[in-house]
Amino acid sequence: MEKIESQREMLNELSYKIWAKPEVGYLEYEACKLSSEALKAAGFEVEVGVFGVPTAIRASFGSGHPVIGLLGEYDALPGMSQKVKSEKDPVEAGAPGQGCGHNLLGVAHIGAAIGMKEEMEKKGLKGTVVFYGCPGEELLTGKTFMARNGAFRDLDVAFAYHPGKSNVASGGVMTGLNSAKFHFKGRTAHAGGDPHNGRSALDAVELMNVGANYLREHVTSDVRIHYTILEGGTAPNIVPDKACVWYYVRAMSREAVEDTYNRLVKVAKGAAMMTETEVEIEFLGGCYNTMPNIVLAELLTDTMKENPMEPWTEEEKKFAHEMNVQSGSQWAVMCRANGVPEGTDLFEGVCPINYASGYGSTDVGDVQHICPTTMLNTTSANLGSPGHSWQITACSGMSIGQKGMVYAAKIMAVAGLKILEDPSIAEKAKAEFDEKMAGKSYKCPMPEDVPVPYTK
């Protein structure tokens, strides 16, 4: 805790530099450089561009077991540019921004690694701490690409922090996902003069979407199917020979994702047959549903209760209040969801483990099917802020987000040291993991022929 506190200025500065130069998935070259330099300066053995991903990092200290992993991220979101202001005001309209707080996320794990290293050296503790810098989480494939090439297999346990609106460890399940683009190719013609000579790729896309919407009635209730049309022609009087639709398929189990996706592929092929077009499927990848480890969730919850978060200043509360007012009913909903009085601007205290399931997705689920892993949130934004919003970008560039980040670093470091001092905690987490896996093993959902989507 003392080491992290002494490094607070460095951690805040690092998080701000990443915030000030937001980079989308697989293009996080500056964030990767800054993060790796900070870890090298702290005495870690650092590798960059590992597991076939140019902006991935593996940094380690120590030797032997238990091996504790820290899952950092740093990618930004497109269109989420925002100044540190309590009203919407982008730095550059349409530009990326840290609307999910990943600048805080990556740096919190760096802080935890530095704090653990200091105590390991002081106390002569055996074990290894490993920081994984994981690109492209917002595309839900970064850790999957890394896992395809052997990442995370060295870990006994792992922690994954994400900035949030309360202090809570996760015990609920989030969906797995498959992502694919369906490219239809037809034949162009004059839509008025000789439509009979055309074969509309757009018709195929629309028929596929109709079929997908009928499919919804015949899947389990945990399944989610959503899409957007990326290409649909150029003018009404030209039969479009090219069209493309991008689909996500989500479900609470990997098996349900794959079953529904395979049925969706049949729908696409049927649409191509009906329109006498061709379809090419561009599979972009997938991820597992989450499988949180309750032994680790209890450890993190107890550690938060033992180490309360520092109080908010009046200035921070005022900043949060100004944004909460703009959130309308969302603010009251979040207050009720977290068991605090309506009108609370910033959460304080510790929530019980959250066992509620959610329909978002994260590639942390892949790691959770490789080793015992649990996610942690700390208060890093105003209670009424929507997910992926300009409000989160604003908080992530100032003291509200930075306080949550430093708190998360301390909690993960202390929890990690408890495991190093008492390896039976890791053994109990592994026993729970084995029971949940029930003899199954992780099978990477990313085929070998799918390339990492980087352009530099």
Side-chain angles (χ1 to χ4, degrees):
M1 297 280 274
E2 291 81 5
K3 179 65 175 179
I4 294 171
E5 190 61 38
S6 72
Q7 296 293 306
R8 179 188 284 264
E9 184 176 347
M10 182 277 288
L11 296 171
N12 286 347
E13 182 179 352
L14 176 58
S15 74
Y16 185 79
K17 285 181 178 178
I18 296 172
W19 180 91
K21 190 173 181 181
E23 301 162 299
V24 296
Y26 301 106
L27 294 174
E28 316 97 322
Y29 289 95
E30 184 68 14
C32 177
K33 175 177 174 288
L34 292 169
S35 299
S36 59
E37 286 175 350
L39 288 158
K40 285 177 184 175
F44 283 78
E45 184 177 322
V46 181
E47 302 169 87
V48 176
V50 288
F51 307 109
V53 185
T55 52
I57 301 170
R58 185 185 185 279
S60 64
F61 172 80
S63 61
H65 294 271
V67 182
I68 300 172
L70 299 163
L71 307 180
E73 301 163 12
Y74 21 69
D75 59 326
L77 284 164
M80 282 290 114
S81 177
Q82 169 65 26
K83 297 174 183 176
V84 178
K85 294 176 68 174
S86 58
E87 66 272 359
K88 189 174 183 179
D89 187 4
V91 176
E92 179 184 350
Q98 290 290 347
C100 205
H102 288 188
N103 62 307
L104 308 172
L105 191 162
V107 176
H109 290 92
I110 291 171
I114 291 171
M116 288 177 64
K117 174 179 178 290
E118 174 81 1
E119 291 300 310
M120 290 167 72
E121 290 175 324
K122 280 183 182 179
K123 298 178 179 179
L125 295 172
K126 293 182 180 179
T128 308
V129 56
V130 180
F131 170 90
Y132 276 104
C134 307
E137 191 279 335
E138 295 296 354
L139 298 172
L140 301 172
T141 54
K143 295 177 189 67
T144 318
F145 278 116
M146 293 171 70
R148 184 176 73 180
N149 293 305
F152 316 116
R153 268 73 168 184
D154 55 338
L155 304 179
D156 291 316
V157 299
F159 296 129
Y161 160 68
H162 199 292
K165 289 169 274 188
S166 61
N167 303 313
V168 62
S170 175
V173 177
M174 297 171 67
T175 56
L177 175 143
N178 270 7
S179 172
K181 294 178 182 177
F182 295 84
H183 302 272
F184 290 89
K185 297 178 182 179
R187 186 167 69 231
T188 189
H190 192 295
D194 61 337
H196 52 281
N197 287 325
R199 298 294 181 267
S200 173
L202 179 59
D203 284 356
V205 162
E206 292 189 298
L207 284 168
M208 179 183 175
N209 294 344
V210 170
N213 287 324
Y214 275 102
L215 177 61
R216 296 179 196 277
E217 184 183 358
H218 304 288
V219 295
T220 53
S221 59
D222 62 309
V223 171
R224 298 289 186 273
I225 305 170
H226 25 276
Y227 59 85
T228 186
I229 297 175
L230 299 179
E231 183 180 6
T234 57
N237 63 342
I238 303 172
V239 175
D241 63 340
K242 293 181 182 179
C244 177
V245 61
W246 184 5
Y247 268 83
Y248 278 2
V249 174
R250 303 183 198 250
M252 288 294 179
S253 71
R254 188 68 213 158
E255 292 81 3
V257 169
E258 292 174 354
D259 177 70
T260 305
Y261 175 74
N262 290 336
R263 295 170 71 188
L264 183 66
V265 167
K266 292 177 182 177
V267 170
K269 291 178 178 178
M273 184 180 296
M274 284 188 286
T275 53
E276 296 184 87
T277 60
E278 297 177 359
V279 61
E280 177 185 324
I281 301 169
E282 182 187 0
F283 184 70
L284 301 176
C287 63
Y288 270 68
N289 56 287
T290 61
M291 190 177 74
N293 189 277
I294 304 306
V295 169
L296 297 180
E298 290 173 346
L299 173 66
L300 290 168
T301 301
D302 290 344
T303 304
M304 283 191 287
K305 290 177 179 177
E306 295 160 4
N307 301 275
M309 190 176 187
E310 61 189 295
W312 302 106
T313 66
E314 291 305 312
E315 290 78 13
E316 289 163 344
K317 291 178 182 178
K318 180 176 182 293
F319 187 90
H321 180 76
E322 290 170 354
M323 291 193 292
N324 281 331
V325 169
Q326 299 174 64
S327 297
S329 61
Q330 169 76 8
W331 182 16
V333 169
M334 289 305 301
C335 287
R336 290 194 293 270
N338 287 284
V340 296
E342 290 196 18
T344 301
D345 290 305
L346 290 162
F347 182 87
E348 297 176 284
V350 179
C351 291
I353 295 171
N354 181 12
Y355 289 99
S357 294
Y359 286 89
S361 305
T362 172
D363 57 14
V364 172
D366 284 72
V367 185
Q368 290 180 322
H369 284 78
I370 295 171
C371 73
T373 307
T374 283
M375 298 179 68
L376 166 73
N377 299 130
T378 64
T379 306
S380 308
N382 56 298
L383 258 173
S385 58
H388 289 189
S389 69
W390 66 267
Q391 296 185 9
I392 292 176
T393 305
C395 289
S396 298
M398 49 98 65
S399 62
I400 291 175
Q402 290 166 348
K403 276 187 177 179
M405 172 190 75
V406 171
Y407 184 51
K410 291 177 178 179
I411 296 306
M412 289 189 291
V414 172
L417 288 167
K418 288 180 179 180
I419 293 172
L420 293 173
E421 293 173 335
D422 182 5
S424 69
I425 299 172
E427 293 169 4
K428 292 174 184 175
K430 180 61 163 58
E432 179 189 332
F433 172 83
D434 289 341
E435 181 180 355
K436 287 181 174 178
M437 289 295 287
K440 298 178 183 178
S441 60
Y442 174 75
K443 179 183 177 183
C444 185
M446 189 70 69
E448 291 293 335
D449 60 350
V450 176
V452 175
Y454 65 90
T455 57
K456 184 174 179 181

